[in-house]
Amino acid sequence: MQKVHVPLEGREYDVLIGGGLIARAGFEIAPLLNRPRVAVLTEQRVADLHLKDLQAGLAAADVEMSAMALTPGETSKSWDGLSKAVDFLLDQKVERGDMIVAFGGGVIGDLAGFAAAILRRGVRFVQIPTTLLAQVDSSVGGKTGINAAQGKNLIGAFHQPSLVLADIDILGTLSTRDFLAGYGEVVKYGCLGDAEFFTWLEKNGPALAAGDRALRGEAVRRSVEMKAGIVTRDEKEHGERALLNLGHTFGHALEAATGYSDRLLHGEGVAIGCVLAFEVSARLGLMAQESPSRLRAHLAAMGTKKDMADIQGELPDSDGLIRLMGQDKKVQGGALHFVLARAIGEAFVTSDVDTDVVRSVLDEALAER
Ligand code: GLY
């Protein structure tokens, strides 16, 4: 088992990464509890596959649990999903000193974390992420929230978990597509801040996608280590944390354009968005053209989406996509903020991007469809 510590003063916690952590959940969580019970928020698919194992893992340390399973998918990350979650927690008489467990992917982690942030003005929670995407990104760093009709993640709060248990074995039950969508976020870390990690992924990505547990553990550890460092230096995203949004301005617009449906999963949007951000960087003369080509080649070798030509069905034109980008949280004073890069592993944030350049990159990408 590996441990990454997130040393935020007064809110510090560990991320444990390894096999068999669900079976050990009770032993890891019990020392944090005021009384031996937790309330678990999960979703139906995860509950069907894994809730019994979590219950057994908790019971092994005499921790009781009650659980509510929400409808799988992004629609639960809504006022309606939040109200169901909060009603359940209040019905379970969860007290201020109790612990909530978020057991699922990014949707459940964000929703349960937000419910924990507002219930009785703040209850602690543990993240047990069940997808690669949630293990390497959304379960760490304390961003919680729900979607609005106007855009994704527009309602929320920073609320750090008390512990994160990233069980590598659970990744074995993901579909290849879901695993690879999460891999989009792993590649993002190499692209934004660690060229050596990117090269490591080029070498080891296919084997870790095929199931190598040690390589999966190492990819999760390095991603979490990078995220923990950034979050510790800039918890509330006043600066450096925005680097984690590499690929997200484009990705969120594409997700909105495809109705947040399974035409495009979040991590697939991020991967395509990273390529587009690299293309804009190259067009602006900041980065060698070889870099977007190298990223595209790696994503192709992994068998995951790499550009807009891989998205089925209609998409808006470039102006329509730029309008959707305007809904992004990263808009400040009306100016779009982009994460661009000078090289693989050297990303930076800027608001100084000529919209015509963005439009021409999008036009070319759309023309290849
Ligand atoms: N997912 C981006 C962040 O946590 O800041």
Side-chain angles (χ1 to χ4, degrees):
M1 185 174 69
Q2 314 214 51
K3 188 194 290 189
V4 176
H5 187 60
V6 185
L8 284 165
E9 214 182 314
R11 299 177 306 297
E12 57 190 58
Y13 55 96
D14 289 331
V15 182
L16 305 184
I17 302 152
L21 278 169
I22 301 226
R24 290 191 47 77
F27 295 102
E28 301 298 347
I29 295 172
L32 307 175
L33 301 180
N34 288 348
R35 54 177 173 160
R37 55 176 283 199
V38 293
V40 178
L41 289 170
T42 186
E43 50 106 314
Q44 200 55 55
R45 277 174 318 197
V46 172
D48 291 346
L49 285 169
H50 305 295
L51 197 56
K52 275 208 176 88
D53 293 340
L54 178 61
Q55 188 163 23
L58 292 166
D62 296 323
V63 177
E64 280 177 30
M65 68 162 225
S66 57
M68 182 170 88
L70 288 136
T71 308
E74 201 72 30
T75 51
S76 283
K77 225 174 107 173
S78 57
W79 288 118
D80 185 45
L82 181 68
S83 126
K84 284 190 177 118
V86 167
D87 278 348
F88 162 74
L89 297 170
L90 291 174
D91 286 346
Q92 294 304 310
K93 304 198 168 25
V94 171
E95 295 175 1
R96 192 92 183 265
D98 283 338
M99 190 70 82
I100 294 166
V101 174
F103 187 45
V107 166
I108 289 298
D110 287 7
L111 174 71
F114 190 36
I118 58 175
L119 192 84
R120 300 188 193 281
R121 298 204 178 90
V123 173
R124 296 171 305 154
F125 77 117
V126 171
Q127 289 268 20
I128 308 185
T130 58
T131 62
L132 179 59
L133 186 137
Q135 291 190 355
V136 298
D137 185 44
S138 55
S139 66
V140 180
K143 278 192 181 175
T144 72
I146 57 173
N147 300 327
Q150 290 84 349
K152 279 190 78 168
N153 297 326
L154 294 180
I155 303 149
F158 286 98
H159 187 52
Q160 299 293 340
S162 299
L163 176 70
V164 182
L165 301 178
D167 189 330
I168 294 300
D169 293 334
I170 212 164
L171 302 179
T173 58
L174 294 179
S175 70
T176 303
R177 186 178 176 200
D178 282 333
F179 183 87
L180 288 174
Y183 186 79
E185 295 276 4
V186 176
V187 171
K188 179 193 79 177
Y189 287 104
C191 290
L192 75 88
D194 188 347
E196 246 178 62
F197 183 47
F198 185 86
T199 305
W200 185 90
L201 290 170
E202 285 180 314
K203 181 164 172 266
N204 296 298
L208 78 84
D212 187 307
R213 288 170 76 248
L215 294 175
R216 286 180 172 193
E218 178 53 20
V220 174
R221 187 202 63 76
R222 180 63 189 135
S223 301
V224 169
E225 184 180 65
M226 287 183 70
K227 179 147 191 185
I230 291 172
V231 165
T232 303
R233 291 187 293 272
D234 179 24
E235 181 186 11
K236 299 278 170 73
E237 198 168 315
H238 298 302
E240 186 185 357
R241 184 163 182 168
L243 295 179
L244 295 171
N245 298 324
L246 176 61
H248 283 63
T249 303
F250 291 105
H252 281 166
L254 291 169
E255 278 185 280
T258 48
Y260 303 106
S261 67
D262 70 358
R263 278 174 68 199
L264 185 72
L265 304 179
H266 174 68
E268 294 172 337
V270 169
I272 296 172
C274 287
V275 173
L276 290 168
F278 273 19
E279 287 291 1
V280 170
S281 305
R283 192 68 52 93
L284 290 168
L286 296 163
M287 168 185 247
Q289 182 58 51
E290 186 217 327
S291 298
S293 306
R294 192 172 152 199
L295 173 56
R296 207 182 259 109
H298 177 52
L299 295 171
M302 295 298 293
T304 189
K305 290 186 174 49
K306 60 191 181 316
D307 47 42
M308 285 198 259
D310 298 325
I311 303 172
Q312 301 291 314
E314 293 295 306
L315 283 179
D317 63 10
S318 52
D319 282 324
L321 288 171
I322 289 169
R323 265 195 300 281
L324 288 170
M325 288 179 202
Q327 278 300 338
D328 206 272
K329 287 192 302 314
K330 291 166 284 298
V331 174
Q332 277 173 26
L336 268 176
H337 282 233
F338 282 93
V339 185
L340 301 181
R342 294 189 185 85
I344 291 177
E346 287 178 38
F348 66 97
V349 184
T350 178
S351 57
D352 185 23
V353 179
D354 184 347
T355 310
D356 287 342
V357 174
V358 176
R359 189 178 294 106
S360 77
V361 166
L362 290 172
D363 280 336
E364 272 176 35
L366 287 163
E368 280 165 22
R369 283 165 53 82

